[in-house]
């Protein structure tokens, strides 16, 4: 990846040098750097707000209710897991992802993976359950695409929330495909 980015930068500099647009290139580099910093600060605020809301949801018991709702799905996706703690970590991870809070889902996802790795006897080869969690986590059905709404708002979209329905449909399809794939692979590998 470093070679690709380095190559693109080098090509840009060479092109700008031979076409007399070095001044424009310099200005664009500075402008995009400023935009990147501005976006990082904006997103830090969004992440702070939503992570705080996730913590508040945990404190008032909303996450526990979501866990109960998600348990039948977890039993379906992970039939071999009997450890309650592992299932709870998976449920919190899935709940955070459904709410569009991927960064808040990461700690519980990592804890679930550690539990699954322990169940896998610390093998160098990922278990079916580990692969299933990874696929479900990556495909991640989202009801509220927080990041995209924030990006669209930051860049002046007239209706930043117009992405909600397409995002729900797209993530539902990707999650459905992930579930089908996982169940087929579970059947083939067991």
């Amino acid at each position: 990846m470093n070679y690709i980015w380095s190559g693109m930068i080098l090509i840009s500099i060479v092109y700008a040098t031979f076409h007399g647009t070095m001044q424009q290139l310099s200005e664009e580099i500075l402008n995009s750097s400023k935009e990147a910093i501005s976006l990082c600060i904006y997103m830090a605020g969004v992440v702070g707000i939503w992570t705080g809301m996730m913590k508040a949801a945990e404190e008032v018991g909303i996450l526990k209710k979501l866990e109960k709702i998600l348990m039948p799905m977890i039993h379906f996706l992970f039939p071999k897991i009997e450890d309650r703690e592992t299932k709870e970590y998976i449920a919190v991870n899935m709940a955070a992802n459904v709410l569009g809070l991927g960064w808040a889902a990461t700690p519980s996802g990592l804890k679930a993976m550690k539990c699954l790795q322990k169940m896998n006897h610390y093998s160098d080869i990922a278990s079916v359950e580990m692969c299933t969690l990874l696929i479900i986590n990556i495909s991640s059905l989202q009801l509220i695409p927080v990041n995209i709404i924030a990006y669209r708002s930051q860049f002046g979209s007239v209706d930043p929330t117009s992405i909600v329905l397409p995002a729900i449909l797209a993530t539902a399809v990707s999650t459905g495909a992930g579930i089908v794939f996982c169940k087929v692979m579970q059947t083939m590998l067991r």
Side-chain angles (χ1 to χ4, degrees):
M1 200 64 171
N2 288 337
Y3 293 119
I4 293 171
W5 283 107
S6 299
M8 288 178 14
I9 291 169
L10 185 61
I11 290 169
S12 299
I13 292 171
V14 170
Y15 182 86
T17 302
F18 286 114
H19 288 88
T21 57
M22 190 58 100
Q23 178 67 29
Q24 286 176 301
L25 178 63
S26 298
E27 289 173 9
E28 288 304 316
I29 288 172
L30 293 175
N31 286 338
S32 56
S33 297
K34 184 175 81 174
E35 278 185 33
I37 296 297
S38 174
L39 182 61
C40 286
I41 292 169
Y42 181 81
M43 289 306 293
V46 171
V47 168
I49 289 169
W50 282 98
T51 303
M53 290 178 76
M54 183 74 170
K55 187 66 177 166
E58 182 180 3
E59 293 291 325
V60 297
I62 294 173
L63 285 183
K64 285 289 181 195
K65 289 179 183 168
L66 277 172
E67 283 178 31
K68 286 181 183 177
I69 293 169
L70 291 171
M71 274 306 165
M73 178 60 79
I74 292 168
H75 290 303
F76 173 72
L77 291 171
F78 304 96
K80 301 260 181 185
I81 297 176
E82 296 190 14
D83 180 49
R84 181 81 181 142
E85 182 182 33
T86 305
K87 287 180 181 180
E88 286 177 2
Y89 287 139
I90 292 170
V92 170
N93 177 268
M94 289 173 72
N97 277 322
V98 165
L99 295 173
L101 306 172
W103 53 82
T106 301
S108 57
L110 291 173
K111 288 176 184 176
M113 273 298 184
K114 283 182 182 179
C115 291
L116 293 173
Q117 179 64 353
K118 183 178 177 183
M119 289 172 50
N120 195 27
H121 306 291
Y122 300 100
S123 172
D124 289 337
I125 299 171
S127 67
V128 172
E129 290 78 15
M130 294 169 82
C131 293
T132 300
L133 177 61
L134 187 61
I135 289 168
I136 298 304
N137 192 46
I138 290 170
S139 67
S140 146
L141 172 66
Q142 288 188 13
L143 299 179
I144 308 166
V146 175
N147 284 343
I148 301 303
I149 292 170
Y151 289 136
R152 288 171 55 89
S153 177
Q154 171 69 16
F155 290 110
S157 174
V158 176
D159 186 9
T161 59
S162 66
I163 193 71
V164 171
L165 181 60
I168 291 171
L169 294 174
T171 59
V173 169
S174 69
T175 302
I179 289 170
V180 169
F181 176 79
C182 289
K183 293 312 279 182
V184 167
M185 294 308 292
Q186 285 175 5
T187 304
M188 290 175 58
L189 296 173
R190 300 219 182 212

mmCIF file of all heavy atoms in Angstrom, residues 135-136 138-142 165-181:
data_model
loop_
_atom_site.group_PDB
_atom_site.id
_atom_site.type_symbol
_atom_site.label_atom_id
_atom_site.label_comp_id
_atom_site.label_asym_id
_atom_site.label_seq_id
_atom_site.Cartn_x
_atom_site.Cartn_y
_atom_site.Cartn_z
ATOM 1 N N ILE A 135 -16.949 -12.460 9.713
ATOM 2 C CA ILE A 135 -17.808 -12.188 8.551
ATOM 3 C C ILE A 135 -19.035 -11.381 8.966
ATOM 4 O O ILE A 135 -19.394 -10.405 8.312
ATOM 5 C CB ILE A 135 -18.203 -13.502 7.849
ATOM 6 C CG1 ILE A 135 -16.978 -14.088 7.143
ATOM 7 C CG2 ILE A 135 -19.342 -13.286 6.858
ATOM 8 C CD1 ILE A 135 -17.146 -15.503 6.660
ATOM 9 N N ILE A 136 -19.670 -11.771 10.056
ATOM 10 C CA ILE A 136 -20.856 -11.052 10.528
ATOM 11 C C ILE A 136 -20.479 -9.631 10.950
ATOM 12 O O ILE A 136 -21.200 -8.670 10.679
ATOM 13 C CB ILE A 136 -21.546 -11.813 11.686
ATOM 14 C CG1 ILE A 136 -22.036 -13.176 11.216
ATOM 15 C CG2 ILE A 136 -22.677 -10.994 12.281
ATOM 16 C CD1 ILE A 136 -22.978 -13.143 10.025
ATOM 17 N N ILE A 138 -17.938 -7.831 9.825
ATOM 18 C CA ILE A 138 -17.574 -7.032 8.647
ATOM 19 C C ILE A 138 -18.819 -6.639 7.851
ATOM 20 O O ILE A 138 -18.944 -5.504 7.398
ATOM 21 C CB ILE A 138 -16.573 -7.800 7.758
ATOM 22 C CG1 ILE A 138 -15.220 -7.895 8.462
ATOM 23 C CG2 ILE A 138 -16.420 -7.130 6.406
ATOM 24 C CD1 ILE A 138 -14.241 -8.822 7.801
ATOM 25 N N SER A 139 -19.744 -7.579 7.675
ATOM 26 C CA SER A 139 -20.941 -7.270 6.872
ATOM 27 C C SER A 139 -21.885 -6.344 7.621
ATOM 28 O O SER A 139 -22.499 -5.465 7.036
ATOM 29 C CB SER A 139 -21.665 -8.549 6.480
ATOM 30 O OG SER A 139 -22.204 -9.182 7.608
ATOM 31 N N SER A 140 -22.021 -6.520 8.899
ATOM 32 C CA SER A 140 -22.688 -5.663 9.859
ATOM 33 C C SER A 140 -23.918 -4.900 9.384
ATOM 34 O O SER A 140 -23.819 -3.804 8.856
ATOM 35 C CB SER A 140 -21.625 -4.717 10.420
ATOM 36 O OG SER A 140 -22.057 -3.461 10.721
ATOM 37 N N LEU A 141 -25.071 -5.494 9.602
ATOM 38 C CA LEU A 141 -26.345 -4.814 9.380
ATOM 39 C C LEU A 141 -26.365 -3.535 10.205
ATOM 40 O O LEU A 141 -26.061 -3.564 11.390
ATOM 41 C CB LEU A 141 -27.510 -5.713 9.805
ATOM 42 C CG LEU A 141 -28.897 -5.073 9.815
ATOM 43 C CD1 LEU A 141 -29.321 -4.716 8.398
ATOM 44 C CD2 LEU A 141 -29.906 -5.980 10.464
ATOM 45 N N GLN A 142 -26.684 -2.408 9.578
ATOM 46 C CA GLN A 142 -26.731 -1.126 10.292
ATOM 47 C C GLN A 142 -28.073 -0.460 10.088
ATOM 48 O O GLN A 142 -28.497 -0.261 8.961
ATOM 49 C CB GLN A 142 -25.641 -0.180 9.782
ATOM 50 C CG GLN A 142 -24.265 -0.562 10.201
ATOM 51 C CD GLN A 142 -23.246 0.512 9.838
ATOM 52 O OE1 GLN A 142 -23.600 1.622 9.486
ATOM 53 N NE2 GLN A 142 -21.992 0.159 9.932
ATOM 54 N N LEU A 165 -32.085 4.576 4.331
ATOM 55 C CA LEU A 165 -32.759 3.429 3.708
ATOM 56 C C LEU A 165 -31.828 2.648 2.780
ATOM 57 O O LEU A 165 -31.747 1.412 2.894
ATOM 58 C CB LEU A 165 -34.031 3.860 2.971
ATOM 59 C CG LEU A 165 -34.815 2.717 2.320
ATOM 60 C CD1 LEU A 165 -35.265 1.692 3.366
ATOM 61 C CD2 LEU A 165 -36.009 3.260 1.550
ATOM 62 N N PRO A 166 -31.091 3.301 1.867
ATOM 63 C CA PRO A 166 -30.150 2.527 1.045
ATOM 64 C C PRO A 166 -29.100 1.791 1.880
ATOM 65 O O PRO A 166 -28.721 0.662 1.554
ATOM 66 C CB PRO A 166 -29.491 3.582 0.154
ATOM 67 C CG PRO A 166 -30.449 4.715 0.114
ATOM 68 C CD PRO A 166 -31.155 4.700 1.440
ATOM 69 N N ALA A 167 -28.652 2.407 2.970
ATOM 70 C CA ALA A 167 -27.655 1.749 3.826
ATOM 71 C C ALA A 167 -28.255 0.527 4.512
ATOM 72 O O ALA A 167 -27.602 -0.518 4.611
ATOM 73 C CB ALA A 167 -27.114 2.728 4.860
ATOM 74 N N ILE A 168 -29.488 0.646 4.980
ATOM 75 C CA ILE A 168 -30.141 -0.506 5.611
ATOM 76 C C ILE A 168 -30.278 -1.644 4.598
ATOM 77 O O ILE A 168 -29.968 -2.806 4.900
ATOM 78 C CB ILE A 168 -31.517 -0.123 6.198
ATOM 79 C CG1 ILE A 168 -31.351 0.787 7.408
ATOM 80 C CG2 ILE A 168 -32.320 -1.367 6.576
ATOM 81 C CD1 ILE A 168 -32.651 1.394 7.925
ATOM 82 N N LEU A 169 -30.718 -1.314 3.397
ATOM 83 C CA LEU A 169 -30.880 -2.345 2.365
ATOM 84 C C LEU A 169 -29.545 -2.987 1.994
ATOM 85 O O LEU A 169 -29.438 -4.217 1.900
ATOM 86 C CB LEU A 169 -31.553 -1.751 1.131
ATOM 87 C CG LEU A 169 -32.999 -1.282 1.318
ATOM 88 C CD1 LEU A 169 -33.497 -0.587 0.055
ATOM 89 C CD2 LEU A 169 -33.897 -2.446 1.683
ATOM 90 N N ALA A 170 -28.518 -2.171 1.793
ATOM 91 C CA ALA A 170 -27.207 -2.697 1.405
ATOM 92 C C ALA A 170 -26.608 -3.574 2.502
ATOM 93 O O ALA A 170 -26.090 -4.670 2.222
ATOM 94 C CB ALA A 170 -26.258 -1.549 1.067
ATOM 95 N N THR A 171 -26.687 -3.108 3.751
ATOM 96 C CA THR A 171 -26.109 -3.909 4.833
ATOM 97 C C THR A 171 -26.946 -5.147 5.128
ATOM 98 O O THR A 171 -26.407 -6.168 5.551
ATOM 99 C CB THR A 171 -25.895 -3.064 6.111
ATOM 100 O OG1 THR A 171 -27.145 -2.517 6.546
ATOM 101 C CG2 THR A 171 -24.884 -1.954 5.876
ATOM 102 N N ALA A 172 -28.251 -5.075 4.878
ATOM 103 C CA ALA A 172 -29.095 -6.269 5.055
ATOM 104 C C ALA A 172 -28.701 -7.336 4.035
ATOM 105 O O ALA A 172 -28.601 -8.521 4.367
ATOM 106 C CB ALA A 172 -30.569 -5.916 4.912
ATOM 107 N N VAL A 173 -28.471 -6.908 2.804
ATOM 108 C CA VAL A 173 -28.057 -7.858 1.761
ATOM 109 C C VAL A 173 -26.676 -8.437 2.087
ATOM 110 O O VAL A 173 -26.472 -9.653 2.000
ATOM 111 C CB VAL A 173 -28.058 -7.186 0.369
ATOM 112 C CG1 VAL A 173 -27.373 -8.052 -0.676
ATOM 113 C CG2 VAL A 173 -29.488 -6.869 -0.059
ATOM 114 N N SER A 174 -25.738 -7.579 2.484
ATOM 115 C CA SER A 174 -24.387 -8.083 2.780
ATOM 116 C C SER A 174 -24.405 -9.010 3.998
ATOM 117 O O SER A 174 -23.735 -10.047 4.001
ATOM 118 C CB SER A 174 -23.400 -6.935 2.986
ATOM 119 O OG SER A 174 -23.664 -6.222 4.171
ATOM 120 N N THR A 175 -25.184 -8.674 4.996
ATOM 121 C CA THR A 175 -25.273 -9.538 6.180
ATOM 122 C C THR A 175 -25.972 -10.846 5.833
ATOM 123 O O THR A 175 -25.544 -11.922 6.268
ATOM 124 C CB THR A 175 -26.001 -8.821 7.334
ATOM 125 O OG1 THR A 175 -25.291 -7.620 7.637
ATOM 126 C CG2 THR A 175 -26.069 -9.686 8.573
ATOM 127 N N GLY A 176 -27.036 -10.767 5.033
ATOM 128 C CA GLY A 176 -27.724 -11.988 4.596
ATOM 129 C C GLY A 176 -26.795 -12.903 3.819
ATOM 130 O O GLY A 176 -26.757 -14.122 4.050
ATOM 131 N N ALA A 177 -26.018 -12.328 2.907
ATOM 132 C CA ALA A 177 -25.050 -13.121 2.135
ATOM 133 C C ALA A 177 -23.995 -13.720 3.060
ATOM 134 O O ALA A 177 -23.598 -14.887 2.892
ATOM 135 C CB ALA A 177 -24.389 -12.251 1.068
ATOM 136 N N GLY A 178 -23.565 -12.950 4.055
ATOM 137 C CA GLY A 178 -22.583 -13.449 5.012
ATOM 138 C C GLY A 178 -23.131 -14.615 5.821
ATOM 139 O O GLY A 178 -22.440 -15.608 6.046
ATOM 140 N N ILE A 179 -24.385 -14.507 6.249
ATOM 141 C CA ILE A 179 -25.008 -15.578 7.030
ATOM 142 C C ILE A 179 -25.141 -16.845 6.193
ATOM 143 O O ILE A 179 -24.806 -17.946 6.657
ATOM 144 C CB ILE A 179 -26.378 -15.126 7.582
ATOM 145 C CG1 ILE A 179 -26.175 -14.081 8.688
ATOM 146 C CG2 ILE A 179 -27.186 -16.318 8.105
ATOM 147 C CD1 ILE A 179 -27.451 -13.386 9.131
ATOM 148 N N VAL A 180 -25.598 -16.691 4.960
ATOM 149 C CA VAL A 180 -25.726 -17.861 4.079
ATOM 150 C C VAL A 180 -24.359 -18.512 3.874
ATOM 151 O O VAL A 180 -24.214 -19.733 3.993
ATOM 152 C CB VAL A 180 -26.363 -17.461 2.719
ATOM 153 C CG1 VAL A 180 -26.247 -18.578 1.706
ATOM 154 C CG2 VAL A 180 -27.813 -17.063 2.925
ATOM 155 N N PHE A 181 -23.343 -17.696 3.601
ATOM 156 C CA PHE A 181 -22.002 -18.229 3.404
ATOM 157 C C PHE A 181 -21.525 -18.972 4.655
ATOM 158 O O PHE A 181 -20.991 -20.078 4.563
ATOM 159 C CB PHE A 181 -21.021 -17.101 3.046
ATOM 160 C CG PHE A 181 -19.603 -17.562 2.921
ATOM 161 C CD1 PHE A 181 -19.182 -18.202 1.767
ATOM 162 C CD2 PHE A 181 -18.697 -17.359 3.949
ATOM 163 C CE1 PHE A 181 -17.874 -18.642 1.652
ATOM 164 C CE2 PHE A 181 -17.393 -17.789 3.838
ATOM 165 C CZ PHE A 181 -16.976 -18.438 2.675
#
